[in-house]
Amino acid sequence: MNQHIWTPSRRIFLSRSLTFGAAMFTVRGAFADELVRTPAQTEGPFYPRKLPLDTDNDLIIINDGITPAVGEITHLTGRILDATGSPVKNALVEIWQCDGKGVYLHTGDSGKKQDQQDKNFQGFGRFLTASSGEYYFRTIKPVLYPGRAAPHIHFKIKKGGKELLCTQCYIKGYPGNEKDGVYRGIRGDKARAAVDVDFTPIKASKFGELSAKWDIVLGDTPADA
Ligand SMILES: [Fe+2]
């Protein structure tokens, strides 16, 4: 499944990514009783109509391009967990978000705003989890676009071709969150906290890169493939 995602050059990137991710996670399966399931949220209108040619987990560089995307580079990691806290392997994690200028890859948006679009931003990426359930993307910190008050990243989790969850994550503490219709539609403080993500500067980074960690808890326990 999805073999076309992994080209040799991407495999190098991927292995580096997992090392980065592995260092961040030490607790596994603990406090399973306290896990809050990640709330489902609307897919919205901008899931790409046609997937880009490059769909790897690095949204900052398209194929072998040399110009990076505009935005605050973010190392976005986390685990896909089932409701008992066990990692889910072979989960296909898809993300999509607008570029640093507020334009989605979806032709309904980018078609109207070609002069504004950041053509170096991939706009969509995917990652297949291994047994640790971890995912990793290099992307940008989300920014605002017309129609929403809260910057966000869209996520879809699939397994064996079946969609298990469609949701979004947000910048924790961003003032616009409370005015955003989709965010406000999430009922309860615990459920809202479950979609709030810290975007934290990486001290060692000379380029102001950020790290963001978001564990996603699925509602059903998917059968292992
Ligand atoms: Fe959106």
Side-chain angles (χ1 to χ4, degrees):
M1 176 178 147
N2 303 303
Q3 303 238 332
H4 54 287
I5 298 174
W6 322 116
T7 61
S9 65
R10 298 306 173 198
R11 214 169 278 139
I12 294 164
F13 183 74
L14 183 67
S15 59
R16 257 195 288 141
S17 316
L18 286 175
T19 309
F20 175 85
M24 295 185 69
F25 309 112
T26 49
V27 181
R28 181 164 298 159
F31 314 114
D33 292 344
E34 296 172 31
L35 286 183
V36 176
R37 291 174 192 189
T38 306
Q41 295 167 77
T42 176
E43 177 178 311
F46 295 127
Y47 183 88
R49 215 175 256 166
K50 194 172 152 230
L51 295 188
L53 290 176
D54 187 3
T55 59
D56 74 355
N57 61 330
D58 182 8
L59 282 70
I60 301 296
I61 295 282
I62 297 178
N63 289 324
D64 295 321
I66 50 168
T67 310
V70 172
E72 290 183 83
I73 292 178
T74 299
H75 299 270
L76 174 64
T77 64
R79 291 174 301 165
I80 308 300
L81 304 172
D82 68 18
T84 68
S86 298
V88 180
K89 73 173 179 184
N90 293 331
L92 184 65
V93 183
E94 299 181 328
I95 67 166
W96 69 103
Q97 65 185 108
C98 66
D99 67 29
K101 299 171 178 182
V103 181
Y104 274 94
L105 189 65
H106 188 287
T107 47
D109 201 34
S110 60
K112 291 182 210 149
K113 302 176 188 165
Q114 282 176 20
D115 50 336
Q116 287 172 51
Q117 186 187 11
D118 176 7
K119 302 234 171 15
N120 297 309
F121 184 59
Q122 195 170 290
F124 174 95
R126 47 190 178 178
F127 189 98
L128 189 65
T129 62
S131 56
S132 67
E134 291 167 36
Y135 67 83
Y136 171 80
F137 293 99
R138 191 171 75 136
T139 188
I140 58 169
K141 185 177 179 182
V143 301
L144 277 179
Y145 65 86
R148 293 286 302 271
H152 54 274
I153 301 176
H154 295 266
F155 275 70
K156 238 186 222 201
I157 319 299
K158 296 173 179 172
K159 185 166 174 174
K162 189 180 161 213
E163 186 174 316
L164 301 177
L165 181 68
C166 184
T167 188
Q168 305 175 27
C169 73
Y170 299 85
I171 301 166
K172 187 175 180 179
Y174 186 88
N177 291 354
E178 300 297 334
K179 299 186 195 111
D180 183 78
V182 180
Y183 185 86
R184 286 164 61 100
I186 302 168
R187 298 280 163 229
D189 291 345
K190 276 189 182 174
R192 285 189 188 178
V195 297
D196 287 339
V197 177
D198 272 320
F199 286 75
T200 311
I202 298 172
K203 283 192 187 130
S205 169
K206 291 184 185 132
F207 309 105
E209 294 180 39
L210 308 172
S211 79
K213 185 190 162 212
W214 191 38
D215 285 347
I216 294 173
V217 181
L218 302 174
D220 302 312
T221 304
D224 220 345

